[in-house]
Amino acid sequence: MILIGQFDSPFVRRVAVAMRLYGMPFEHRPWSVFADAEKIAQYNPLMRAPTLVLDDGPNGGEVLIESHAILDALDQMAIQKLGPGKAMMPASGELRRQAQKVCALATGMADKAVSLAYERHVHRRESVHWVERCLSQIAGVLSELEASRARHKTEWWFGPSIGHADIVVGTSLRFLGDAHAGLFDLSEGWPLLAAHAAGCESLPAFRETQQPFSVSAPASA
Ligand SMILES: N[C@@H](CCC(=O)N[C@@H](CS)C(=O)NCC(=O)O)C(=O)O
């Protein structure tokens, strides 16, 4: 499989970490959504990352987009390869609903952090209202995730093994810290999330999928 996108993206990284943990090899094309937009457009007209090109086979060459949809497909492959119950998302019921919500909160927070980065680095003039709104949304999600982590006493969020919720919280927190250094001090306000982030970053799958944050977009309107 071919994974398109850079590891400074929390969305690309969550897919890369999951593929490593599932033992699914992939060719990485670290294309920038701005500098390499035309190359990405050959696979994905949205020119967004992550974009995953499946291997040859019954669905050979099929292109998947959106990290949650990509991970849903990888979960199905993991179940086929490793057996039932091996996906990094609870199969059904309350735990699945809760895990999906944690994933939605974390990806939503990452969306806001990306939006804030574009506001600061891509747009010529920041909208104070938009910046304040993003900051308030990010702070709100951090507090809700902190409270959720406090309710779950297990080693990882939903049990003894790492899952997609853990991974995306980890990649989103890392992005937030890298893209907006100094804005949110996790150890000060959200200590359980700080510990969670450190636990994730200590794993080889996270260490092997790192890239310093950069915005290579041309400044425009
Ligand atoms: N909801 C998407 C978000 C992906 C996303 O925002 N990717 C950014 C890079 S971090 C991107 O492609 N930005 C360029 C654009 O949106 O045009 C997902 O989960 O895959």
Side-chain angles (χ1 to χ4, degrees):
M1 289 184 273
I2 302 170
L3 177 60
I4 296 170
Q6 300 192 329
F7 290 156
D8 64 349
S9 157
F11 308 102
V12 175
R13 195 170 178 224
R14 74 181 293 217
V15 171
V17 168
M19 292 182 85
R20 292 207 180 238
L21 292 173
Y22 276 148
M24 294 174 177
F26 60 91
E27 179 189 329
H28 183 211
R29 298 208 182 146
W31 292 342
S32 154
V33 291
F34 294 110
D36 302 306
E38 281 176 23
K39 286 198 257 182
I40 298 179
Q42 290 170 17
Y43 296 90
N44 176 359
L46 283 168
M47 298 184 256
R48 301 187 89 191
T51 294
L52 185 75
V53 186
L54 296 184
D55 272 341
D56 290 342
N59 305 315
E62 189 181 340
V63 177
L64 305 183
I65 62 173
E66 279 288 329
S67 60
H68 67 272
I70 291 172
L71 291 174
D72 185 65
L74 295 178
D75 288 351
Q76 300 306 311
M77 292 178 206
I79 290 166
Q80 272 184 355
K81 189 175 134 191
L82 306 169
K86 294 297 181 188
M88 288 190 287
M89 173 62 70
S92 62
E94 189 180 347
L95 277 189
R96 183 176 174 87
R97 284 199 304 279
Q98 290 178 0
Q100 295 278 14
K101 183 168 180 192
V102 168
C103 288
L105 283 166
T107 52
M109 181 181 73
D111 278 331
K112 293 297 155 181
V114 169
S115 182
L116 195 56
Y118 291 161
E119 193 67 17
R120 296 199 147 138
H121 303 289
V122 180
H123 299 165
R124 198 171 287 143
R125 265 187 35 205
E126 283 181 20
S127 155
V128 174
H129 175 68
W130 184 251
V131 166
E132 279 174 3
R133 183 180 163 87
C134 289
L135 292 174
S136 150
Q137 288 164 310
I138 292 167
V141 170
L142 288 174
S143 296
E144 176 136 352
L145 287 175
E146 178 80 5
S148 169
R149 192 67 188 94
R151 287 193 298 275
H152 292 270
K153 311 287 184 200
T154 41
E155 183 181 356
W156 293 98
W157 219 289
F158 294 100
S161 317
I162 191 168
H164 292 314
D166 299 291
I167 296 169
V168 72
V169 171
T171 63
S172 298
L173 291 174
R174 171 64 180 269
F175 179 81
L176 184 64
D178 285 359
H180 305 292
L183 272 189
F184 297 94
D185 184 347
L186 292 184
S187 58
E188 191 64 34
W190 303 276
L192 296 177
L193 295 185
H196 180 85
C200 287
E201 295 298 341
S202 72
L203 299 178
F206 279 76
R207 287 205 306 270
E208 291 157 6
T209 55
Q210 308 193 55
Q211 182 183 330
F213 168 74
S214 75
V215 175
S216 52
S220 61

